[in-house]
mmCIF file of all heavy atoms in Angstrom:
data_model
loop_
_atom_site.group_PDB
_atom_site.id
_atom_site.type_symbol
_atom_site.label_atom_id
_atom_site.label_comp_id
_atom_site.label_asym_id
_atom_site.label_seq_id
_atom_site.Cartn_x
_atom_site.Cartn_y
_atom_site.Cartn_z
ATOM 1 N N LYS Z 85 37.943 133.724 26.113
ATOM 2 C CA LYS Z 85 36.579 133.759 25.602
ATOM 3 C C LYS Z 85 36.214 135.141 25.088
ATOM 4 O O LYS Z 85 36.583 136.153 25.657
ATOM 5 C CB LYS Z 85 35.573 133.381 26.706
ATOM 6 C CG LYS Z 85 35.705 131.950 27.175
ATOM 7 C CD LYS Z 85 35.283 130.960 26.095
ATOM 8 C CE LYS Z 85 35.369 129.536 26.577
ATOM 9 N NZ LYS Z 85 35.378 128.555 25.484
ATOM 10 N N GLU Z 86 35.445 135.137 23.988
ATOM 11 C CA GLU Z 86 34.915 136.366 23.430
ATOM 12 C C GLU Z 86 33.827 136.900 24.392
ATOM 13 O O GLU Z 86 33.047 136.108 24.947
ATOM 14 C CB GLU Z 86 34.309 136.100 22.081
ATOM 15 C CG GLU Z 86 33.739 137.342 21.418
ATOM 16 C CD GLU Z 86 33.323 137.070 19.970
ATOM 17 O OE1 GLU Z 86 34.207 136.832 19.113
ATOM 18 O OE2 GLU Z 86 32.109 137.087 19.693
ATOM 19 N N VAL Z 87 33.782 138.217 24.522
ATOM 20 C CA VAL Z 87 32.765 138.827 25.396
ATOM 21 C C VAL Z 87 32.152 140.008 24.631
ATOM 22 O O VAL Z 87 32.853 140.817 24.073
ATOM 23 C CB VAL Z 87 33.386 139.331 26.715
ATOM 24 C CG1 VAL Z 87 32.370 140.098 27.560
ATOM 25 C CG2 VAL Z 87 33.966 138.169 27.498
ATOM 26 N N LEU Z 88 30.829 140.051 24.681
ATOM 27 C CA LEU Z 88 30.098 141.153 24.060
ATOM 28 C C LEU Z 88 29.491 141.981 25.200
ATOM 29 O O LEU Z 88 28.770 141.486 26.038
ATOM 30 C CB LEU Z 88 28.998 140.584 23.177
ATOM 31 C CG LEU Z 88 28.242 141.573 22.305
ATOM 32 C CD1 LEU Z 88 29.170 142.204 21.254
ATOM 33 C CD2 LEU Z 88 27.087 140.882 21.611
ATOM 34 N N VAL Z 89 29.803 143.257 25.191
ATOM 35 C CA VAL Z 89 29.319 144.166 26.262
ATOM 36 C C VAL Z 89 28.458 145.223 25.635
ATOM 37 O O VAL Z 89 28.900 145.959 24.738
ATOM 38 C CB VAL Z 89 30.494 144.840 26.998
ATOM 39 C CG1 VAL Z 89 29.995 145.788 28.104
ATOM 40 C CG2 VAL Z 89 31.424 143.797 27.600
ATOM 41 N N LYS Z 90 27.242 145.364 26.138
ATOM 42 C CA LYS Z 90 26.375 146.451 25.695
ATOM 43 C C LYS Z 90 26.511 147.602 26.666
ATOM 44 O O LYS Z 90 26.458 147.426 27.908
ATOM 45 C CB LYS Z 90 24.923 145.992 25.588
ATOM 46 C CG LYS Z 90 24.028 147.088 25.083
ATOM 47 C CD LYS Z 90 22.770 146.552 24.406
ATOM 48 C CE LYS Z 90 22.069 147.723 23.713
ATOM 49 N NZ LYS Z 90 20.875 147.330 22.993
ATOM 50 N N LEU Z 91 26.762 148.781 26.118
ATOM 51 C CA LEU Z 91 26.944 149.966 26.967
ATOM 52 C C LEU Z 91 25.598 150.629 27.199
ATOM 53 O O LEU Z 91 25.108 151.361 26.333
ATOM 54 C CB LEU Z 91 27.950 150.876 26.242
ATOM 55 C CG LEU Z 91 29.253 150.180 25.852
ATOM 56 C CD1 LEU Z 91 30.071 151.039 24.883
ATOM 57 C CD2 LEU Z 91 30.068 149.817 27.090
ATOM 58 N N THR Z 92 24.995 150.341 28.344
ATOM 59 C CA THR Z 92 23.619 150.753 28.561
ATOM 60 C C THR Z 92 23.493 152.080 29.347
ATOM 61 O O THR Z 92 22.381 152.612 29.455
ATOM 62 C CB THR Z 92 22.867 149.659 29.356
ATOM 63 O OG1 THR Z 92 23.579 149.473 30.596
ATOM 64 C CG2 THR Z 92 22.810 148.369 28.595
ATOM 65 N N LYS Z 93 24.591 152.558 29.908
ATOM 66 C CA LYS Z 93 24.577 153.764 30.717
ATOM 67 C C LYS Z 93 25.682 154.726 30.256
ATOM 68 O O LYS Z 93 26.751 154.277 29.857
ATOM 69 C CB LYS Z 93 24.819 153.424 32.199
ATOM 70 C CG LYS Z 93 23.876 152.364 32.772
ATOM 71 C CD LYS Z 93 22.511 152.920 32.992
ATOM 72 C CE LYS Z 93 21.580 151.817 33.519
ATOM 73 N NZ LYS Z 93 20.185 152.232 33.518
ATOM 74 N N PRO Z 94 25.445 156.025 30.446
ATOM 75 C CA PRO Z 94 26.552 156.951 30.157
ATOM 76 C C PRO Z 94 27.609 156.916 31.268
ATOM 77 O O PRO Z 94 27.275 156.601 32.413
ATOM 78 C CB PRO Z 94 25.834 158.341 30.132
ATOM 79 C CG PRO Z 94 24.655 158.161 31.013
ATOM 80 C CD PRO Z 94 24.245 156.708 30.862
ATOM 81 N N GLY Z 95 28.850 157.215 30.918
ATOM 82 C CA GLY Z 95 29.922 157.188 31.903
ATOM 83 C C GLY Z 95 31.168 156.543 31.372
ATOM 84 O O GLY Z 95 31.214 156.202 30.178
ATOM 85 N N TYR Z 96 32.158 156.374 32.238
ATOM 86 C CA TYR Z 96 33.404 155.712 31.841
ATOM 87 C C TYR Z 96 33.329 154.239 32.223
ATOM 88 O O TYR Z 96 32.985 153.888 33.362
ATOM 89 C CB TYR Z 96 34.592 156.330 32.524
ATOM 90 C CG TYR Z 96 34.985 157.689 31.957
ATOM 91 C CD1 TYR Z 96 34.402 158.835 32.491
ATOM 92 C CD2 TYR Z 96 35.886 157.773 30.932
ATOM 93 C CE1 TYR Z 96 34.768 160.104 31.962
ATOM 94 C CE2 TYR Z 96 36.263 159.000 30.401
ATOM 95 C CZ TYR Z 96 35.687 160.165 30.943
ATOM 96 O OH TYR Z 96 36.020 161.392 30.409
ATOM 97 N N TYR Z 97 33.613 153.384 31.264
ATOM 98 C CA TYR Z 97 33.711 151.925 31.488
ATOM 99 C C TYR Z 97 35.155 151.525 31.392
ATOM 100 O O TYR Z 97 35.818 151.686 30.354
ATOM 101 C CB TYR Z 97 32.977 151.167 30.423
ATOM 102 C CG TYR Z 97 31.460 151.174 30.423
ATOM 103 C CD1 TYR Z 97 30.728 152.311 30.080
ATOM 104 C CD2 TYR Z 97 30.723 150.027 30.779
ATOM 105 C CE1 TYR Z 97 29.346 152.290 30.092
ATOM 106 C CE2 TYR Z 97 29.355 150.020 30.798
ATOM 107 C CZ TYR Z 97 28.675 151.147 30.434
ATOM 108 O OH TYR Z 97 27.293 151.118 30.433
ATOM 109 N N GLY Z 98 35.711 150.972 32.462
ATOM 110 C CA GLY Z 98 37.080 150.432 32.459
ATOM 111 C C GLY Z 98 37.076 148.927 32.465
ATOM 112 O O GLY Z 98 36.251 148.334 33.157
ATOM 113 N N PHE Z 99 37.956 148.347 31.671
ATOM 114 C CA PHE Z 99 38.083 146.883 31.606
ATOM 115 C C PHE Z 99 39.558 146.521 31.754
ATOM 116 O O PHE Z 99 40.433 147.273 31.334
ATOM 117 C CB PHE Z 99 37.549 146.328 30.302
ATOM 118 C CG PHE Z 99 36.055 146.560 30.099
ATOM 119 C CD1 PHE Z 99 35.644 147.654 29.400
ATOM 120 C CD2 PHE Z 99 35.171 145.651 30.635
ATOM 121 C CE1 PHE Z 99 34.263 147.882 29.243
ATOM 122 C CE2 PHE Z 99 33.798 145.886 30.455
ATOM 123 C CZ PHE Z 99 33.359 147.006 29.770
ATOM 124 N N LYS Z 100 39.801 145.345 32.304
ATOM 125 C CA LYS Z 100 41.168 144.860 32.448
ATOM 126 C C LYS Z 100 41.236 143.390 32.037
ATOM 127 O O LYS Z 100 40.217 142.658 32.059
ATOM 128 C CB LYS Z 100 41.647 144.977 33.883
ATOM 129 C CG LYS Z 100 40.817 144.170 34.848
ATOM 130 C CD LYS Z 100 41.183 144.452 36.325
ATOM 131 C CE LYS Z 100 40.241 143.747 37.261
ATOM 132 N NZ LYS Z 100 40.441 144.114 38.694
ATOM 133 N N CYS Z 101 42.407 142.981 31.657
ATOM 134 C CA CYS Z 101 42.750 141.562 31.550
ATOM 135 C C CYS Z 101 43.355 141.209 32.895
ATOM 136 O O CYS Z 101 44.373 141.750 33.286
ATOM 137 C CB CYS Z 101 43.722 141.313 30.411
ATOM 138 S SG CYS Z 101 44.421 139.649 30.433
#
Side-chain angles (χ1 to χ4, degrees):
K85 294 293 181 197
E86 181 172 293
V87 174
L88 187 65
V89 179
K90 183 154 188 177
L91 307 166
T92 59
K93 307 286 178 190
Y96 286 90
Y97 286 73
F99 296 93
K100 62 188 173 186
C101 167

